[in-house]
Amino acid sequence: QVQLVESGGGLVQPGGSLRLSCAASGARLDDYVIGWFRQAPGKEREGISCISSGDGAIYYADSVKGRFTVSRDNAKNTGYLQMNNLKPEDTAVYYCAIESWPSGGCIVLPSWYKNWGQGTQVTVSS
């Protein structure tokens, strides 16, 4: 059974940084796409980034491009989302998700992913 555990969320001032981690168990991440999503109160879940399993493909939503960096360490079976220059509008619960797709490329369509973490709260406020 695949389990994902996110960590690294918290309260940060505008302009600050956080690094989210997504540790997987029950599966080897080598053949999995990792997607990152967030959901603010009263809003739909938003796909913000993904990283492919093998061809290096990476996607960022316009809302985070230039501020967030997605990465993965297959040896540690963990994905990361480095978030810099955080803004109040980044406040949300952040989720990672994985799906087996060894063919390359990635998408941020929530319905495509079957395995989800529990979410971690990120609050950006002064």
Side-chain angles (χ1 to χ4, degrees):
Q1 184 178 356
V2 176
Q3 287 190 323
L4 303 175
V5 177
E6 295 128 342
S7 59
L11 173 64
V12 64
Q13 292 186 341
S17 298
L18 287 172
R19 188 176 81 154
L20 304 183
S21 298
C22 175
S25 61
R28 288 180 56 86
L29 278 186
D30 304 59
D31 292 330
Y32 283 77
V33 169
I34 303 172
W36 287 94
F37 301 81
R38 66 185 181 187
Q39 189 163 19
K43 294 189 176 182
E44 291 189 354
R45 189 164 296 189
E46 176 190 12
I48 56 174
S49 184
C50 63
I51 182 168
S52 70
S53 60
D55 66 353
I58 287 176
Y59 166 83
Y60 296 105
D62 288 343
S63 57
V64 305
K65 196 175 296 182
R67 300 187 298 122
F68 290 12
T69 302
V70 66
S71 63
R72 61 192 298 154
D73 186 338
N74 289 339
K76 295 183 177 180
N77 232 32
T78 300
Y80 302 98
L81 186 68
Q82 176 68 43
M83 307 187 296
N84 298 329
N85 190 22
L86 284 160
K87 305 175 181 180
E89 51 264 43
D90 293 318
T91 295
V93 177
Y94 283 70
Y95 299 88
C96 67
I98 65 171
E99 187 55 47
S100 178
W101 188 253
S103 303
C106 69
I107 60 173
V108 288
L109 182 65
S111 60
W112 187 73
Y113 291 84
K114 298 187 191 67
N115 306 291
W116 289 81
Q118 82 286 356
T120 185
Q121 177 69 46
V122 172
T123 302
V124 185
S125 175
S126 55

